[in-house]
C-alpha cells in the first residue's frame, strides 16, 4: 500500500459555498406549484424550510454565498478532508492513469452528508425552529442530521427506508445514540405511509415514500421544519466545500483532473465534488469530463426522462424539473440505499440536458468488485454508494491503459462502509445479484408522468 | 458542540519509538522458560516472532528505536492524529477541568492498533515470513493486522474470541474484506482449542485461549510467525507514537496534563498514551497521575496478583511477570472485548508495583453512560473499550468540580464504536448489566498460580 495524501490547513476551509446556478447560461427551470403550475416563490417554501435555506434554494444570482462562522467552526471538527493519490489502486490496475480521491469518509459520521446537515441545522436553530424531520435511505444522511441536530439542540425524527432499516441496523443505532427518533418507512404514523401500507403491506420503502412521511410530519408539527440530504439546490450548494478543497489540493499535486466522478443518488456528493470543476468548464471552457455514477437498477440520468415530477412518492412536494424514473418508481433492494431515488436535482438535470456532463449506470456486482479491490489496495472499505464512483474510475483507468493514455482521474469517496459490512458478507458469499431495470418497468413508471415539458 | 483540534504535520510523526524499559530504575523482571525457569533469550523467541521484534522485546538499553521509513510512510496514511480539547464534554459536566483526548479512532480500521500492526507486518515481511497468525478479542487488533498483512502481502489467520465473533460480526467482515481468514475461538483446528471444547463445548472463548490457538498454528506452520496486539514490550514500544505526538500537541495547547488515562486490556493503548509522559516522571520527577481504566469484571491491575504467569490459557507462552487474575480466568461477556484479558504486560506491571501509576475498575453500565455522554457532546461514538478511559476522565472531572480545582486531564480515545452498535442497542434497551468479579471467583483463579515470586 503506497499512498500519498495532500493536506490542507484549517484556514483553507472555504469561506463561501459555490452557487453554480449563478454561472449557468441555461438556468434550471423553476420549481412549480403542482396545483397552479406557477413558479414557487421563496415564501411558498417557508412552511417547509428555514427561510435562509429557501432563499438559497432559489438564488440564481450570487455565485458565492458566505459560510457562517458557526458552520465553518463545526466544519473544523473534521475538515479539510484529505485528497489522496491512489497509488495502490493504480498499481493493481497497471494503468498509466493517475487516480485521486477526495476522502469524505473521515467525518465523525463517516460521510460527506455532514457538510449540509450542519448548515441546515444551524439555519433552523437560528430561526427558532425546535423540531426537524428528515428521511434517510442507507442512513448516511440520517446519521449526519442526527449528529447536527444533537449539536444544535434540535429534536429530530428520521423516516428510514424500511429495507435499509432492516439491512443496516447499526446506522439506526448511530442515529439513536445521537438522540434521534428513527421510524421505519412506510410507517403507520402518517397518511402517506398508511396509504402505501394499505395497498402493499410488505412494501420495503423508498426514499420517495420516506420524504412524503417526513414532509407530512413537518407540516403538521408546530415550530418544525423539514430537512433533506440531497436533490435540492441548497444541499448541492453546501456540498461544494468538497470540490473547492479538492481544487486547491489538485493544485498542490500539480495536476488537473480531466475526469471528475461522483456517485449519484439525488446529487449531493456528485455536485459537491464536481460543481467547482464544472465552473472551469462554464466560465473558462475547460475540457473536462464529469461523470455521475448511478446504479443500473436506478438509472435516472442514463435512462430517465427530463420532465417535471414530484420529489416524493405521495406528491406533497412542488414539481421539480428533473431526469426522473417517475415518482412512484420502486427501486430494487440494492445495498447502495442512498442511490435508490427516482430523480436527479434540478441543476444537475439541466446540466445533463445541456450535455455538460455524462452518466454511467453500474451493475451491483461490479460495484462490489470495485469496492473490494479498493479496500485491498487503498485500505479503506467504501460505502456501497461510493463504490459506484470507484467502479467508474476503474473503468476509465482501464480504458486509459488500453489507449496508453495518461489520464488524470478524480473521484469522491463519499463515505466508508464500516456499517455496511452485511452487504460485503453477502457479496463474498455469492448472494448478491444485479438488478437491471427492464424497458417495460421503465415505461410503466414513466407512463404516470404528467408531461408538462413538451419540447 | 464546541471543539478545538490541535493538529500536527506529517513531518511531526515521530522518527523513533520510545523504549521506556531503558529509563526504568527497576527493570521489568525477565520472562522465563516455563520448563527451566531460566530467563528467555532473543533466540528462544525466534520461532515465534520476527527477529527484530524479539530484539525489541528484550531491549532494556536503547531509549529510542528508529522507526523504519517504510513504517513511517504508512503511518502517514492517517497520522499524525488530532488532539482535541473536549469543550463539549467539559460544558456538560460543568467542570473547571480541562479535558483533552488523543483521537486514535481516525485510522482506517478505527483504532490505535494499526500503529503496531504495520510495524509487525513490516518486520515479518522483511525477514521473509509469508504467513502470520494472531488472535483478536473485539476485533480491533484483528482488523488492524488484516489491514497490515494485506498491505505487505502476508497471509493471515485470525483466531477471534467466540463471544466477540458472535457479538461483532461486522468486524469479522472487515477482516475478511482485507483478505484474512477468521476462525472463532475456541476452534477444533488446534489442540488447545479441542481440549477446551471437549471440556466445555459452550465455552465462549477468551483472549488467553485465542492466543494459545494462534501460537500453536504459528509453530506448526513453515515460514509462519505469530503476532500479538498487546501485552508484549515491543507492542507497547510501537504504540508510543500516540503519546509522543500528544506531548507536542499539549505544548501547542500551552498546557501540561496532570492526569493521563488509557483504557486497559493488556496495555497497548494505555502504554502508548502514557509512557512518553511517564518518562517525564521517571527522568524529571514530574508530578503526574497515570491511570489505567479497566473493567470491573476483569480487574487485573486493581485486584490481581503480581506473579509469573502464562500469557495464554493453554500455557504455550513463556512465563511473564505480570499482575494477573490467573491465565485460566474466564472473563464476563462484557462488550469491551478488547479488555477481556487476564494479565498486564511486564513493563506496566513493574510500574504499577513501583507505585508509578494507578488503576481504576469501572462497571460496564458506567462505561456506556460515559460513552453516550461523550457521543452527544463530542460527536464521536467511542468503542466500548475506550469508554472506560472516558469514564475515568469523567470521574476525575467531576472530582475537580467538587474540589474547585482546574485539573488538566488527557485521555486516549483508542477507537470508535461504529462496529459496536449492537452493544449500544442493548444499553438503550436496558439489557446491559454489570459483572463484578466476586472475591471467591478471584481466589479460585489465583489459586492455580505457580507462585515463583515469593517476596
Amino acid at each position: 500500500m503506497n499512498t500519498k495524501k495532500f493536506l490542507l490547513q484549517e484556514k483553507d476551509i472555504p469561506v463561501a459555498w459555490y452557487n453554480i446556478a449563478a454561472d449557468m447560461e441555461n438556468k434550471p427551470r423553476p420549481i412549480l406549484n403542482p396545483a397552479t403550475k406557477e413558479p414557487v416563490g421563496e415564501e411558498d417554501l417557508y412552511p417547509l424550510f428555514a427561510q435562509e435555506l429557501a432563499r438559497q434554494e432559489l438564488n440564481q444570482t450570487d455565485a458565492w454565498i458566505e459560510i457562517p462562522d458557526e458552520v465553518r467552526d463545526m466544519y473544523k471538527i473534521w475538515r479539510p478532508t484529505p485528497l489522496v493519490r491512489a497509488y495502490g489502486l493504480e498499481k493493481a490496475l497497471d494503468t498509466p492513469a493517475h487516480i485521486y480521491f477526495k476522502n469524505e469518509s473521515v467525518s465523525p459520521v463517516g460521510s460527506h452528508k455532514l457538510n449540509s446537515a450542519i448548515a441546515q441545522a444551524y439555519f433552523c436553530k437560528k430561526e427558532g425552529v425546535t423540531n426537524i424531520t428528515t428521511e434517510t435511505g442507507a442512513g448516511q444522511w440520517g446519521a449526519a442530521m442526527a449528529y447536527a441536530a444533537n449539536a444544535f439542540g434540535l429534536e429530530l425524527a428520521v423516516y428510514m427506508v424500511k429495507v435499509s432499516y432492516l439491512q443496516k441496523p447499526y446506522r439506526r443505532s448511530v442515529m439513536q445514540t445521537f438522540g434521534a427518533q428513527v421510524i421505519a418507512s412506510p410507517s403507520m404514523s402518517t397518511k402517506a405511509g398508511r396509504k402505501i401500507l394499505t395497498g402493499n403491506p410488505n412494501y420495503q420503502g423508498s426514499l420517495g415514500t420516506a420524504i412524503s412521511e417526513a414532509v407530512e410530519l413537518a407540516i403538521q408539527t408546530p415550530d418544525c421544519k423539514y430537512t433533506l440530504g440531497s436533490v435540492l439546490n441548497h444541499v448541492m450548494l453546501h456540498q461544494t466545500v468538497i470540490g473547492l478543497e479538492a481544487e486547491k489540493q489538485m493544485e498542490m499535486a500539480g495536476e488537473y483532473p480531466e475526469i471528475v466522478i461522483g456517485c449519484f443518488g439525488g446529487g449531493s456528493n456528485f455536485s459537491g465534488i464536481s460543481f467547482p470543476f464544472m465552473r472551469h468548464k462554464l466560465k473558462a471552457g475547460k475540457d473536462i469530463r464529469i461523470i455521475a455514477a448511478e446504479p443500473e437498477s436506478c438509472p435516472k440520468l442514463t435512462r430517465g426522462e427530463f420532465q417535471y415530477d414530484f420529489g416524493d412518492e405521495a406528491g406533497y412536494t412542488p414539481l421539480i424539473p428533473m431526469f426522473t424514473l417517475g415518482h412512484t418508481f420502486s427501486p430494487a433492494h440494492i445495498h447502495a440505499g442512498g442511490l435508490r431515488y427516482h430523480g436527479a436535482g434540478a441543476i444537475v438535470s439541466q446540466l445533463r440536458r445541456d450535455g455538460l456532463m455524462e452518466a454511467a449506470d453500474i451493475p451491483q456486482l461490479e460495484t462490489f468488485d470495485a469496492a473490494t479491490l479498493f479496500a485491498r489496495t487503498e485500505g479503506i472499505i467504501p460505502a456501497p454508494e461510493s463504490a459506484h464512483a470507484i467502479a467508474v474510475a476503474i473503468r476509465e483507468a482501464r480504458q486509459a491503459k488500453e489507449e496508453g493514455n495518461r489520464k488524470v482521474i478524480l473521484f469522491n469517496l463519499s463515505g466508508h462502509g464500516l456499517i455496511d459490512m452485511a452487504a460485503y458478507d453477502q457479496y463474498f458469499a455469492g448472494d448478491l445479484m444485479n438488478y437491471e431495470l427492464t424497458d417495460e418497468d421503465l415505461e410503466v413508471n414513466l407512463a404516470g408522468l404528467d408531461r408538462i415539458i413538451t419540447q
Side-chain angles (χ1 to χ4, degrees), chain A:
Chain A
M1 226 169 281
N2 180 358
T3 284
K4 182 149 178 58
K5 280 190 302 184
F6 298 90
L7 298 175
L8 298 171
Q9 307 298 312
E10 280 185 0
K11 66 176 170 48
D12 301 315
I13 295 173
V15 294
W17 293 301
Y18 172 57
N19 177 21
I20 196 171
D23 287 336
M24 289 167 71
E25 201 173 346
N26 297 330
K27 304 292 181 201
R29 294 177 186 231
I31 55 176
L32 303 181
N33 179 317
T36 64
K37 306 285 194 291
E38 289 298 313
V40 162
E42 238 173 73
E43 294 76 9
D44 300 319
L45 297 175
Y46 290 172
L48 216 48
F49 301 111
Q51 297 189 8
E52 175 58 26
L53 296 172
R55 274 191 289 279
Q56 291 174 3
E57 184 63 23
L58 300 184
N59 187 328
Q60 298 190 342
T61 49
D62 304 313
W64 299 97
I65 293 176
E66 199 186 338
I67 303 176
D69 284 346
E70 293 85 343
V71 172
R72 209 165 164 274
D73 277 349
M74 285 204 60
Y75 280 172
K76 289 179 189 166
I77 293 175
W78 78 103
R79 303 206 71 85
T81 64
L83 179 84
V84 183
R85 169 83 182 266
Y87 282 113
L89 182 60
E90 289 175 18
K91 197 176 158 198
L93 296 170
D94 188 25
T95 177
H98 291 193
I99 308 176
Y100 294 83
F101 64 93
K102 179 74 170 161
N103 186 0
E104 288 291 305
S105 78
V106 299
S107 93
V109 291
S111 86
H112 72 292
K113 291 291 193 188
L114 212 44
N115 297 324
S116 186
I118 283 173
Q120 293 188 46
Y122 167 76
F123 290 117
C124 285
K125 182 70 179 184
K126 200 178 161 198
E127 297 177 17
V129 172
T130 56
N131 291 56
I132 52 181
T133 72
T134 198
E135 79 300 315
T136 196
Q140 297 272 30
W141 168 251
M145 204 61 235
Y147 177 105
N150 172 66
F152 286 100
L154 299 164
E155 290 299 322
L156 172 66
V158 184
Y159 286 91
M160 184 173 188
V161 176
K162 195 186 280 171
V163 61
S164 293
Y165 188 93
L166 299 172
Q167 277 175 345
K168 300 173 200 286
Y170 282 19
R171 217 167 257 128
R172 168 187 53 70
S173 308
V174 168
M175 292 182 252
Q176 290 168 335
T177 301
F178 287 125
Q181 187 197 351
V182 187
I183 311 108
S185 167
S187 78
M188 295 297 281
S189 70
T190 65
K191 214 170 105 183
R194 286 192 294 274
K195 192 176 157 204
I196 290 256
L197 284 174
T198 307
N200 181 357
N202 291 321
Y203 187 58
Q204 295 294 296
S206 72
L207 275 166
T209 303
I211 292 173
S212 296
E213 296 204 270
V215 166
E216 188 181 321
L217 183 64
I219 288 174
Q220 294 176 351
T221 309
D223 298 321
C224 183
K225 299 291 173 192
Y226 166 69
T227 61
L228 183 67
S230 193
V231 184
L232 297 175
N233 301 340
H234 67 270
V235 183
M236 312 296 152
L237 176 76
H238 304 151
Q239 292 294 353
T240 56
V241 292
I242 302 172
L244 292 169
E245 285 181 7
E247 210 185 336
K248 291 186 198 174
Q249 288 163 309
M250 288 302 304
E251 268 175 41
M252 288 170 73
E255 302 213 82
Y256 188 84
E258 294 152 78
I259 302 175
V260 176
I261 304 161
C263 65
F264 199 91
S268 75
N269 97 90
F270 168 80
S271 304
I273 187 77
S274 70
F275 283 3
F277 293 97
M278 182 73 84
R279 168 169 123 255
H280 305 169
K281 194 163 175 160
L282 296 177
K283 299 188 52 112
K286 198 89 180 165
D287 185 20
I288 173 173
R289 290 174 58 205
I290 294 175
I291 310 175
E294 54 183 11
E296 180 189 44
S297 57
C298 196
K300 59 225 121 187
L301 287 169
T302 322
R303 297 173 60 198
E305 184 173 329
F306 182 71
Q307 195 51 263
Y308 270 100
D309 199 3
F310 291 104
D312 69 319
E313 188 274 340
Y316 291 156
T317 71
L319 288 166
I320 304 171
M322 48 161 63
F323 276 89
T324 179
L325 299 166
H327 67 276
T328 56
F329 177 68
S330 168
H333 300 164
I334 56 169
H335 279 276
L339 309 187
R340 295 175 73 250
Y341 184 68
H342 66 278
I347 291 177
V348 166
S349 293
Q350 188 62 47
L351 294 168
R352 171 85 173 118
R353 190 163 160 83
D354 290 340
L356 289 161
M357 54 166 286
E358 308 165 37
D361 57 331
I362 317 287
Q364 176 161 261
L365 288 174
E366 183 179 341
T367 67
F368 277 88
D369 292 346
T372 305
L373 181 63
F374 183 77
R376 292 185 181 171
T377 54
E378 293 297 324
I380 304 169
I381 297 179
E385 290 83 2
S386 318
H388 287 71
I390 300 171
V392 172
I394 289 174
R395 282 187 183 182
E396 293 294 334
R398 288 200 167 122
Q399 207 189 319
K401 186 184 174 185
E402 272 179 35
E403 295 167 0
N405 178 354
R406 213 213 71 181
K407 278 191 275 196
V408 179
I409 300 169
L410 166 66
F411 71 86
N412 191 41
L413 183 76
S414 56
H416 67 64
L418 291 179
I419 299 194
D420 302 280
M421 294 316 299
Y424 283 86
D425 276 357
Q426 286 186 24
Y427 168 68
F428 289 124
D431 289 343
L432 281 194
M433 55 183 284
N434 291 330
Y435 301 91
E436 198 184 337
L437 180 63
T438 65
D439 288 337
E440 267 178 6
D441 278 348
L442 179 62
E443 263 177 53
V444 168
N445 279 286
L446 292 178
L449 282 176
D450 179 12
R451 289 188 165 84
I452 298 173
I453 298 174
T454 51
Q455 35 128 5

